[in-house]
Amino acid sequence: MEKGCSCCPRHCGVDRVSRMGFCHAGIEPEVASVCIHPGEEPPLCGEKGVCNVFFSHCNLQCCYCQNLDISRAEVESSRVFYHSLREVVERIESLLPQCENVLGLVSPTHYADSVPEIVEALRRDGYNPTVVYNSNGYDDIATLRRMEPYVDVYLPDFKYMDSSLAARLSNAADYPQRAAEALKEMARQKGSGLLCDERGMAFRGLIVRHLVLPGEVDNSIKVLDWLADNMPSNIHISVMAQYFPPKGATLPPNLQRTLTADEYDRVVRHFDSLGFYNGWLQELSSSDVCRPDFDQQDSFKG
């Protein structure tokens, strides 16, 4: 990594060898879990699941993060299972034969410079998985352009079109602008659709995720409106209802509960009214089951 970190739109400019920026990530990637995850979108996980690499820390630091145990700035050492790229690559190689030969890089933005190293190491060892870049959407255009030869499918969040909400919950008032720019760059690279093989497994394209937050239906509607107005009609959208209040988080009152059926129905009805025809609508009950346990290496096992 070059001195003066500029991996994400925060452009902290710190030398990560000696200092920590907003995300508190050092020069060497810390990884909390490498495991088979059966719960991603169907074209990614198929019947056997995807091998997900969960990076520690995060460049966004949402106060309500579902992976708060590993995404916070100060991550407990007991939750970091891998401290070197070689360890990560070896674990990936042990799992790829057991899953759908899909590699998911979860929250990779602040460690983006390690992505080429991971993918190239796998290729040298004879592995060629479909690489999924699963980010929070707060991505830098220059960083994404460096990812182009190494990523097959982009899986970004699109969290906010309300800049004041983005500032309050993620300390990123410019999120709407930066995420919009990032989505357009991802679509330029891989197309706005999703190319799949004869089994329905994706090998190139873009899927946009949006997590509906309790009490923030208007923001969700604005996100869907932007997608309808600015992206091609064949875009795949995953509308998610799995929000749950993470333990240990300091949250505003509306985020201290899960979604209500009425709130989610309003978002789903708006989704349908805009004519989207590709994507997925999560069950409201998903908030009870989509909860990882980062106390163990296999965070989604059992």
Side-chain angles (χ1 to χ4, degrees):
M1 176 182 296
E2 296 180 0
K3 290 186 177 181
C5 184
S6 60
C7 282
C8 85
R10 296 194 189 276
H11 289 188
C12 292
V14 300
D15 176 359
R16 280 166 52 172
V17 174
S18 57
R19 290 181 56 206
M20 292 182 177
F22 180 87
C23 67
H24 280 220
I27 192 70
E28 292 293 333
E30 294 184 341
V31 171
S33 179
V34 183
C35 63
I36 295 178
H37 184 14
E40 306 288 34
E41 284 75 9
L44 301 178
C45 69
E47 296 179 356
K48 297 189 291 184
V50 54
C51 176
N52 268 351
V53 177
F54 289 88
F55 291 96
S56 300
H57 309 288
C58 183
N59 67 311
L60 203 51
Q61 295 293 308
C62 304
C63 66
Y64 56 87
C65 182
Q66 311 289 272
N67 296 343
L68 186 64
D69 288 340
I70 66 167
S71 65
R72 66 181 78 206
E74 300 290 345
V75 178
E76 295 179 14
S77 60
S78 62
R79 298 185 187 277
V80 179
F81 283 92
Y82 306 91
H83 295 85
S84 76
L85 283 179
R86 191 63 236 172
E87 288 179 321
V88 172
V89 169
E90 289 175 355
R91 173 68 171 169
I92 293 169
E93 291 177 351
S94 73
L95 293 179
L96 282 176
Q98 304 174 43
C99 69
E100 295 286 359
N101 198 38
V102 177
L103 173 63
L105 304 174
V106 183
S107 299
T109 301
H110 52 301
Y111 288 127
D113 286 353
S114 296
V115 170
E117 297 180 66
I118 292 172
V119 176
E120 288 174 353
L122 290 170
R123 290 172 179 172
R124 285 194 301 271
D125 291 345
Y127 295 86
N128 190 30
T130 298
V131 178
V132 180
Y133 196 87
N134 180 352
S135 80
N136 55 40
Y138 195 53
D139 291 298
D140 180 78
I141 298 300
T143 299
L144 291 175
R145 288 174 180 161
R146 294 198 301 274
M147 298 301 102
E148 187 168 1
Y150 306 101
V151 172
D152 300 298
V153 177
Y154 281 107
L155 180 61
D157 292 339
F158 194 3
K159 297 178 181 292
Y160 312 109
M161 275 306 294
D162 182 331
S163 60
S164 63
L165 185 65
R168 293 198 308 274
L169 300 184
S170 303
N171 196 24
D174 62 342
Y175 182 96
Q177 175 188 352
R178 301 307 179 192
E181 293 170 348
L183 288 183
K184 290 179 179 179
E185 172 61 21
M186 293 172 183
R188 181 199 67 78
Q189 291 184 21
K190 307 302 172 185
S192 58
L194 196 65
L195 300 181
C196 298
D197 63 18
E198 65 279 358
R199 294 181 55 240
M201 296 297 299
F203 60 87
R204 180 183 175 92
L206 170 66
I207 299 173
V208 180
R209 282 177 169 173
H210 175 69
L211 176 67
V212 183
L213 296 176
E216 305 296 350
V217 169
D218 288 347
N219 173 66
S220 294
I221 287 174
K222 290 177 183 177
V223 166
L224 294 174
D225 284 343
W226 187 93
L227 291 169
D229 292 341
N230 293 276
M231 300 298 286
S233 59
N234 67 335
I235 190 170
H236 285 68
I237 302 172
S238 184
V239 181
M240 307 178 77
Q242 68 184 47
Y243 175 81
F244 61 90
K247 293 180 180 179
T250 301
L251 301 168
N254 61 298
L255 296 185
Q256 295 175 17
R257 60 174 177 83
T258 56
L259 276 175
T260 66
D262 179 66
E263 287 174 324
Y264 193 49
D265 285 347
R266 286 176 59 196
V267 175
V268 170
R269 288 197 302 270
H270 195 68
F271 177 91
D272 290 337
S273 74
L274 292 172
F276 293 119
Y277 58 89
N278 285 325
W280 303 268
L281 300 172
Q282 209 173 32
E283 295 290 336
L284 190 63
S285 59
S286 61
S287 63
D288 295 326
V289 295
C290 297
R291 302 191 182 192
D293 179 6
F294 289 107
D295 286 327
Q296 56 183 348
Q297 188 175 144
D298 292 325
S299 306
F300 288 87
K301 184 177 180 180

